[in-house]
């Protein structure tokens, strides 16, 4: 019995391996750079808040920069969020009690669809400006960690307070505004 010789091994030329390595390395560098561009540092109390625009469910476009000189409470909510339901009445009650010339509420609807969001606003009688966070651009800017979350921005555009979780009463909300804005 004669053994057949093993087939000859074929090796890739060194230049092919080198070229493939350079292409792979370039791809990994580009991937890392694109991932790094999307990451921004979390907002810190005392830091300026970048301008953004919110188009309300009524079609009004409100830019944060348009509200300079006023304290702004931004409340992130969603129709599917049970604790958002718990705090909705408190937000509306506080909205009716604060001096709306000096304090503006903005409701930012997160990861929701329009019909349930509108139904939520109507069911809870919410009258302050609210709109969807299209493309999650605003929530990415604020680095949301859950629902609901609220942010208080002073008249110069500086973040003065952060509330993770729901307010437990209108007084709780008014106290948060008073303690963090000087109003």
């Amino acid at each position: 019995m004669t053994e057949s010789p093993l087939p000859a091994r074929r090796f890739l030329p060194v230049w092919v391996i080198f070229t493939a390595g350079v292409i792979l390395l370039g791809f990994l560098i580009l991937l890392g750079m694109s991932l790094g561009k999307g990451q921004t540092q979390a907002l810190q109390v005392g830091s300026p808040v970048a301008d953004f625009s919110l188009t309300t469910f009524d079609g009004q476009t409100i830019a944060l920069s348009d509200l300079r000189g006023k304290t702004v409470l931004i409340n992130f909510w969603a129709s599917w969020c049970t604790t958002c339901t718990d705090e909705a009445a408190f937000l509306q009650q506080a909205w009716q009690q604060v001096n709306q010339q000096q304090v503006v509420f903005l409701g930012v609807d997160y990861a929701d669809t329009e019909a349930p969001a509108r139904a939520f606003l109507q069911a809870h009688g919410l009258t302050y400006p609210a709109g969807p966070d299209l493309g999650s651009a605003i929530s990415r800017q604020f680095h949301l960690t859950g629902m609901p979350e609220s942010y208080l921005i002073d008249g110069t555009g500086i973040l003065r307070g952060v509330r993770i979780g729901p307010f437990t009463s209108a007084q709780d909300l008014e106290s948060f505004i008073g303690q963090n804005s000087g109003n």
Side-chain angles (χ1 to χ4, degrees):
M1 177 179 239
T2 61
E3 290 185 27
S4 61
L6 293 174
R9 286 191 169 170
R10 297 180 65 197
F11 292 101
L12 291 174
V14 172
W15 69 269
V16 171
I17 296 171
F18 179 75
T19 303
V22 168
I23 291 171
L24 180 61
L25 181 62
F27 174 74
L28 292 174
I29 289 171
L30 286 175
L31 180 63
M33 289 172 54
S34 68
L35 289 175
K37 283 183 182 178
Q39 296 177 349
T40 57
Q41 192 169 9
L43 287 175
Q44 300 292 320
V45 171
S47 65
V49 177
D51 196 23
F52 64 85
S53 292
L54 175 73
T55 300
T56 67
F57 288 108
D58 296 334
Q60 178 186 9
T61 300
I62 301 170
L64 181 61
S65 58
D66 294 341
L67 302 173
R68 290 288 190 250
K70 298 181 180 184
T71 298
V72 180
L73 177 81
I74 300 170
N75 175 258
F76 288 91
W77 61 277
S79 64
W80 46 262
C81 165
T82 57
T83 53
C84 297
T85 298
D86 296 342
E87 80 170 358
F90 306 137
L91 285 160
Q92 182 60 31
Q93 184 181 354
W95 170 244
Q96 291 172 331
Q97 292 175 354
V98 300
N99 178 351
Q100 296 175 19
Q101 298 300 314
Q102 295 301 317
V103 181
V104 175
F105 286 19
L106 289 179
V108 180
D109 182 30
Y110 173 74
D112 214 342
T113 54
E114 186 172 348
R118 286 181 179 273
F120 181 93
L121 293 172
Q122 185 174 14
H124 297 290
L126 301 179
T127 60
Y128 54 86
D133 185 10
L134 300 176
S136 300
I138 302 170
S139 58
R140 278 194 314 271
Q141 178 178 333
F142 284 85
H143 298 272
L144 292 189
T145 60
M147 287 287 114
E149 286 187 17
S150 297
Y151 296 83
L152 195 71
I153 302 166
D154 72 12
T156 64
I158 303 297
L159 181 63
R160 294 296 175 196
V162 177
R163 176 67 171 260
I164 307 298
F167 291 102
T168 57
S169 67
Q171 294 77 21
D172 179 27
L173 174 53
E174 290 170 29
S175 176
F176 173 77
I177 293 170
Q179 289 172 357
N180 293 297
S181 69
N183 287 340

